[in-house]
Amino acid sequence: MGHVNLQEISAEGNEKISKSRISLIGLGGTGSLAAQLFVRAGVKKLTIVDFDGINATNLQRQINYGSDDLRRKKTEATAALLRRIRDDTEIVECGETLDESSADRILSGNNLIFDGTDNMVARDTINNFSLHSGTPWIFTSAIGTAGEYKAIIPGVTSCLRCFVPVMNATHLSCSEQGILNSVPSIISGMAYTEAIKVILGNPNVGDLHFVDPWRDSHEQIRIARRKDCSACSGKT
Ligand SMILES: [Zn+2]
């Protein structure tokens, strides 16, 4: 009853959540908590996508896994956990790599896509699918002591390429640069909240949020649609 009794969601919003089909890409630190929250909220269907296995360095921050999960696939371990949490959400495991050739098959038929990936190539694939299918998605990123998130709604908000016009695939990974282990869960909880607002049709979404809990900062930045955006200009 937690959501039904909450004025901001109520029975009407809860009904929308219970009919939602979500695709979640990447089951690292950010994807782990979001997967749990979507299922605990009672979405109809959650498709979890990750090609990777679990290794010991993941356990510092990826809250779906323990030491007895090492070398299991992330999709397999997460699905087992989610099915323990509740048994009335359909969980679909997809242990594939998301790329331009698999995107339509993996991502179609969902109301919203949640990005828990760690690279811009995958996010660009999600962005392209979002724009041609009209599916909203939530961008997330976390490294060091900070992270960011943004709801992207085709035809309504700016897209990924509006604020990252040039893709730079070279970047340090979380294990290379280091990451405060609370940060993925903090960003995940906030980005998940943005996802629920999108599902409920709340218009107060779409800004880029930059959060650094170590420095007690939260910046909210309005990103306008770029008329010359290479991805969304003229398409929506
Ligand atoms: Zn754009």
Side-chain angles (χ1 to χ4, degrees):
M1 297 301 284
H3 279 165
V4 173
N5 290 342
L6 181 70
Q7 183 186 336
E8 285 79 359
I9 292 184
S10 77
E12 187 187 348
N14 201 55
E15 179 78 8
K16 289 179 180 172
I17 293 169
S18 70
K19 290 178 176 170
S20 297
R21 295 178 307 276
I22 310 293
S23 185
L24 194 156
I25 318 302
L27 292 168
T30 307
S32 285
L33 177 62
Q36 287 198 38
L37 290 172
F38 280 121
V39 169
R40 290 181 191 277
V43 299
K44 182 179 177 64
K45 179 178 173 181
L46 180 69
T47 301
I48 49 175
V49 183
D50 200 309
F51 62 88
D52 221 349
I54 299 155
N55 66 58
T57 64
N58 299 151
L59 303 185
Q60 176 237 19
R61 62 190 175 280
Q62 301 185 11
I63 64 167
N64 288 3
Y65 317 122
S67 53
D68 55 349
D69 290 318
L70 295 180
R71 288 178 294 281
R72 285 178 90 187
K73 284 192 78 76
K74 289 184 176 178
T75 46
E76 180 196 341
T78 297
L81 173 64
L82 297 177
R83 290 178 181 127
R84 274 183 53 225
I85 290 171
R86 57 187 292 170
D87 58 11
D88 57 348
T89 293
E90 183 185 352
I91 308 295
V92 178
E93 297 172 52
C94 178
E96 295 179 53
T97 302
L98 179 76
D99 57 28
E100 293 292 341
S101 66
S102 63
D104 278 3
R105 182 168 46 80
I106 291 173
L107 299 176
S108 291
N110 291 289
N111 305 100
L112 181 137
I113 301 162
F114 189 96
D115 158 37
T117 71
D118 60 358
N119 71 87
M120 292 306 283
V121 175
R123 294 181 186 116
D124 204 30
T125 299
I126 296 170
N127 193 56
N128 289 336
F129 174 85
S130 161
L131 290 171
H132 81 71
S133 66
T135 311
W137 70 287
I138 309 294
F139 156 80
T140 76
S141 172
I143 197 159
T145 63
E148 53 193 333
Y149 62 94
K150 180 189 186 313
I152 294 172
I153 305 175
V156 177
T157 73
S158 46
C159 82
L160 178 70
R161 288 268 190 141
C162 288
F163 68 100
V164 191
V166 179
M167 289 294 152
N168 180 359
T170 59
H171 68 291
L172 289 174
S173 69
C174 288
S175 52
E176 289 164 335
Q177 181 173 329
I179 183 159
L180 183 65
N181 76 344
S182 60
V183 166
S185 290
I186 290 167
I187 297 301
S188 185
M190 299 184 83
Y192 161 84
T193 306
E194 203 79 344
I196 294 299
K197 285 156 67 178
V198 170
I199 290 167
L200 268 53
N202 185 319
N204 186 28
V205 294
D207 289 351
L208 179 66
H209 295 258
F210 184 84
V211 179
D212 186 333
W214 193 261
R215 291 168 181 80
D216 305 311
S217 75
H218 180 170
E219 293 174 64
Q220 183 172 349
I221 306 158
R222 177 65 43 89
I223 308 283
R225 292 187 69 181
R226 285 169 59 103
K227 287 192 177 68
D228 62 345
C229 175
S230 62
C232 73
S233 177
K235 286 188 183 167
T236 52

